[in-house]
């Protein structure tokens, strides 16, 4: 065999080197492809890693903002509820104070009315007490006139009686002197005795002593005699 027809046979060391070089080339190509795909969108249009991270960051910021707004709204609602409760309590206090003021005004008005009536009652009682002391004197004057018809003292007694009556009239005092034949009024007449007369039975025969009244109050009843209805 000639040298030209000889076949080159690789040594084991050369084969292993060629395989290593081929493997390194493939790995490098794979890393390059992976790097290239990392910088671009995937074949189906999904965003790359940076875009996903940006989207997640924005979503997290929005969520945090929403939570902050929700907390602020909740705080405002709590403040509003507290303010409404405070206003309700103030309204109740104002209503209670208004009611108390109305009661105090009513009590004060009633007090003034009672005090006024009390003063009037005191004045009336004072006048009544005076009149009750004076009316017997008037009756004595009347009896003096009956007994001393021809006395020189009669004109003076009559004049004194007239002035006395004027004083009593000024105090609102009226005499109770029923006419004979009138019905007996137990509230204004005091029956002293019953006598036989031509007057109807049970009616007044004669006034023994006048009574007196002041306003709607009887100070003393008129003392009267009452007819039995039988003539002597």
């Amino acid at each position: 065999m000639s040298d030209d027809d000889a076949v080159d046979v690789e040594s084991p060391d050369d084969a292993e080197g060629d395989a290593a070089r081929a493997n390194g080339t493939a790995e490098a190509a794979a890393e390059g492809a992976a790097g290239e795909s990392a910088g671009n969108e995937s074949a189906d249009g999904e965003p790359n890693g940076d875009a996903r991270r940006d989207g997640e960051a924005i979503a997290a910021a929005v969520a945090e903002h929403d939570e902050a707004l929700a907390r602020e709204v909740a705080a405002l609602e709590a403040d509003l509820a507290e303010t409404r409760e405070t206003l309700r309590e103030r309204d109740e206090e104002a209503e209670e104070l208004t009611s108390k003021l109305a009661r105090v005004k009513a009590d004060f008005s009633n007090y003034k009315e009672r005090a006024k009536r009390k003063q009037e009652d005191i004045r009336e009682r004072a006048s009544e007490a005076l009149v009750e002391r004076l009316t017997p004197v008037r009756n004595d004057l009347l009896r003096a006139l009956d007994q001393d018809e021809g006395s020189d003292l009669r004109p003076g007694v009559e004049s004194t009686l007239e002035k006395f009556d004027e004083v009593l009239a000024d105090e609102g005092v009226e005499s109770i002197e029923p006419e004979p034949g009138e019905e007996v009024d137990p509230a204004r007449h005091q029956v002293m005795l019953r006598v036989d007369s031509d007057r109807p039975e049970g009616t007044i025969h004669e006034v023994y002593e006048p009574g007196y009244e002041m306003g709607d109050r009887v100070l003393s009843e008129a003392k009267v005699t009452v007819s039995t209805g039988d003539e002597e």
Side-chain angles (χ1 to χ4, degrees):
M1 180 181 304
S2 65
D3 293 336
D4 294 335
D5 294 333
V7 177
D8 293 333
V9 179
E10 293 180 349
S11 66
D13 293 336
D14 292 338
E16 290 179 358
D18 292 339
R21 285 192 295 272
N23 186 31
T25 302
E27 290 179 354
E31 290 178 356
E36 184 178 357
S37 63
N40 300 312
E41 291 183 351
S42 61
D44 56 0
E46 292 293 330
N48 59 27
D50 292 339
R52 285 196 299 273
R53 285 192 293 273
D54 291 342
E56 291 173 356
I58 293 173
V62 171
E64 183 178 356
H65 180 67
D66 289 344
E67 291 179 1
L69 285 178
R71 289 193 297 270
E72 185 176 357
V73 170
L76 290 174
E77 289 178 345
D79 291 341
L80 178 60
E82 183 177 356
T83 301
R84 285 176 174 172
E85 179 65 18
T86 301
L87 289 175
R88 185 187 64 79
E89 293 176 354
R90 296 291 173 82
D91 288 341
E92 290 179 354
E93 291 177 0
E95 184 178 354
E96 183 178 358
L97 290 174
T98 301
S99 179
K100 287 182 178 179
L101 178 60
R103 289 196 298 270
V104 169
K105 290 175 66 177
D107 291 342
F108 182 65
S109 177
N110 292 335
Y111 165 77
K112 290 197 301 182
E113 187 65 25
R114 289 195 302 271
K116 181 180 178 181
R117 289 198 301 267
K118 186 175 181 179
Q119 290 177 350
E120 292 176 351
D121 186 60
I122 290 173
R123 285 196 295 267
E124 288 179 1
R125 290 183 180 278
S127 298
E128 289 174 4
L130 176 61
V131 170
E132 288 174 354
R133 294 174 60 189
L134 292 178
T135 50
V137 178
R138 180 179 185 275
N139 292 336
D140 291 341
L141 291 174
L142 290 174
R143 281 191 287 272
L145 290 177
D146 291 339
Q147 294 174 1
D148 297 329
E149 293 184 2
S151 172
D152 294 337
L153 296 176
R154 185 177 181 84
V157 173
E158 290 177 345
S159 177
T160 302
L161 183 60
E162 289 177 0
K163 292 180 181 179
F164 203 97
D165 287 345
E166 290 177 1
V167 173
L168 293 179
D170 290 340
E171 293 294 330
V173 178
E174 296 180 359
S175 63
I176 302 175
E177 299 183 57
E179 295 292 332
E182 288 186 12
E183 295 290 335
V184 175
D185 183 354
R188 302 172 74 242
H189 307 148
Q190 180 181 357
V191 178
M192 303 299 295
L193 55 88
R194 297 181 180 275
V195 298
D196 297 331
S197 73
D198 57 352
R199 306 291 182 190
E201 181 181 1
T203 61
I204 295 174
H205 171 69
E206 185 180 15
V207 177
Y208 175 73
E209 183 178 276
Y212 299 93
E213 58 187 354
M214 186 175 181
D216 58 354
R217 180 181 174 85
V218 176
L219 301 177
S220 61
E221 300 92 347
K223 295 179 174 59
V224 298
T225 59
V226 177
S227 173
T228 61
D230 297 327
E231 292 190 40
E232 296 182 355

